[in-house]
Amino acid sequence: MKLAGRTALVTGGATGLGRAFVQRLLADGARVVIGDLRGADVAAAEEDSTGTRCFGVTMDVTDEASVADAVKAIEARFAGVDILVNNAALFSTLVNRPFEEYSSDEWMQVMRVNTLGPFICAKAVAPHMKGQQWGRIINVASTSALKGLSNMAHYVTSKGAVITFTRVLARELGAWNITANALAPGLTLSDQILKNDDHMAKFGEAIRKSRSIQRDALPADLVGTVSFLASDDAAFMTGQTLCVEGGAIFV
Ligand SMILES: NC(=O)c1ccc[n+]([C@@H]2O[C@H](COP(=O)([O-])OP(=O)(O)OC[C@H]3O[C@@H](n4cnc5c(N)ncnc54)[C@H](O)[C@@H]3O)[C@@H](O)[C@H]2O)c1
């Protein structure tokens, strides 16, 4: 129960990896808010039917007013956000293609959710974190940005920006005892990824072979890192990108 008394917001927490992060933060004793475009209420009720330690807010991370409303609702019910997990992104639904085949609109849509979203959410929670001189921002990046993975140029580039934004946040917020770190997973078998034959066919076997520990990654492989980064144990670690991919890449 190392996070007892803390409030966490997990964006995109209704499904996939975000849902696994929600479950781990709840197990660690935090109050957890699931923020998602859809399904947040249902997911939260499945986690805690009483609503005492978990509730859902429908929010769009790319819309400043929507994020501000969500933060207000969290403050009213649980107090301010102490731990922000910027997990929402466009990923599992994306089609893999060479970069020349993406339109500018597709590029901007991915950038909007994956880079503008974390910026808006960090901005919305920073005042509370600064006020109490404690905060944790965990941005979900991807090892694809470090590898320069082919055939998802918009997504891979967006995750490079997430890593850079994490470093900037660490510099700008350190004086208030707020840490910002990135978790970089490799291809991980979340529920939505399992439905995307394109991802599985193109990346599955090659990615397994590229790892020191040559097996599929599961959401459970990632949650311990989020738990650690959210805790007091990680108080002096900031601006870092932790690659959790069975030793596929060493940084
Ligand atoms: N699964 C993987 O293999 C993998 C690997 C590396 C990094 N990641 C990263 O992990 C995170 C979660 O991945 P996932 O596989 O669970 O993805 P997913 O597509 O299954 O889930 C993304 C969630 O974000 C939500 N979302 C999308 N746009 C939103 C918006 N504008 N506002 C609010 N919520 C929004 C979706 O509704 C969904 O619940 C993402 O940041 C992804 O880039 C995933």
Side-chain angles (χ1 to χ4, degrees):
M1 302 298 272
K2 63 184 176 186
L3 300 181
R6 303 286 187 204
T7 296
L9 167 62
V10 181
T11 67
T15 62
L17 302 185
R19 186 68 176 269
F21 301 147
V22 166
Q23 289 167 346
R24 176 55 187 258
L25 293 168
L26 281 169
D28 285 339
R31 292 178 293 252
V32 182
V33 180
I34 298 177
D36 211 308
L37 273 181
R38 60 193 79 84
D41 287 337
V42 173
E46 284 170 6
E47 297 302 333
D48 174 12
S49 58
T50 67
T52 39
R53 286 217 296 125
C54 182
F55 74 94
V57 282
T58 302
M59 63 184 273
D60 178 350
V61 295
T62 68
D63 177 341
E64 219 147 357
S66 163
V67 173
D69 285 348
V71 169
K72 257 189 234 145
I74 297 166
E75 283 171 353
R77 208 154 146 186
F78 278 174
V81 175
D82 308 309
I83 300 161
L84 168 67
V85 183
N86 270 321
N87 166 80
L90 292 184
F91 172 54
S92 59
T93 52
L94 299 174
V95 177
N96 310 136
R97 285 192 235 123
F99 84 93
E100 302 100 313
E101 293 180 19
Y102 289 122
S103 68
S104 298
D105 282 349
E106 284 175 291
W107 180 276
M108 291 312 292
Q109 196 194 3
V110 171
M111 288 298 159
R112 192 170 169 78
V113 179
N114 296 12
T115 69
L116 179 65
F119 160 73
I120 289 177
C121 292
K123 215 165 122 176
V125 299
H128 167 76
M129 291 182 179
K130 282 183 169 179
Q132 67 176 8
Q133 303 258 319
W134 195 97
R136 296 281 184 271
I137 298 175
I138 301 162
N139 294 325
V140 183
S142 166
T143 53
S144 65
L146 300 162
K147 296 172 183 168
L149 194 74
S150 304
N151 293 319
M152 263 216 291
H154 47 7
Y155 173 79
V156 174
T157 306
S158 75
K159 292 299 181 177
V162 168
I163 290 170
T164 304
F165 182 49
T166 303
R167 293 174 177 166
V168 174
L169 283 176
R171 291 274 183 213
E172 295 198 11
L173 296 174
W176 288 272
N177 222 17
I178 301 166
T179 68
N181 290 287
L183 161 67
L187 188 73
T188 305
L189 301 188
S190 61
D191 41 13
Q192 300 307 308
I193 284 296
L194 286 166
K195 290 183 199 156
N196 186 325
D197 294 340
D198 204 23
H199 283 328
M200 294 304 293
K202 280 199 177 142
F203 299 133
E205 186 57 17
I207 283 187
R208 275 192 295 277
K209 282 194 174 147
S210 73
R211 293 174 177 157
S212 303
I213 300 168
Q214 295 189 336
R215 64 164 173 81
D216 284 324
L218 301 171
D221 290 313
L222 306 176
V223 298
T225 304
V226 169
S227 167
F228 166 66
L229 290 175
S231 75
D232 283 324
D233 289 337
F236 202 50
M237 173 183 280
T238 193
Q240 305 302 312
T241 297
L242 274 69
C243 298
V244 185
E245 207 203 336
I249 185 168
F250 303 131
V251 291

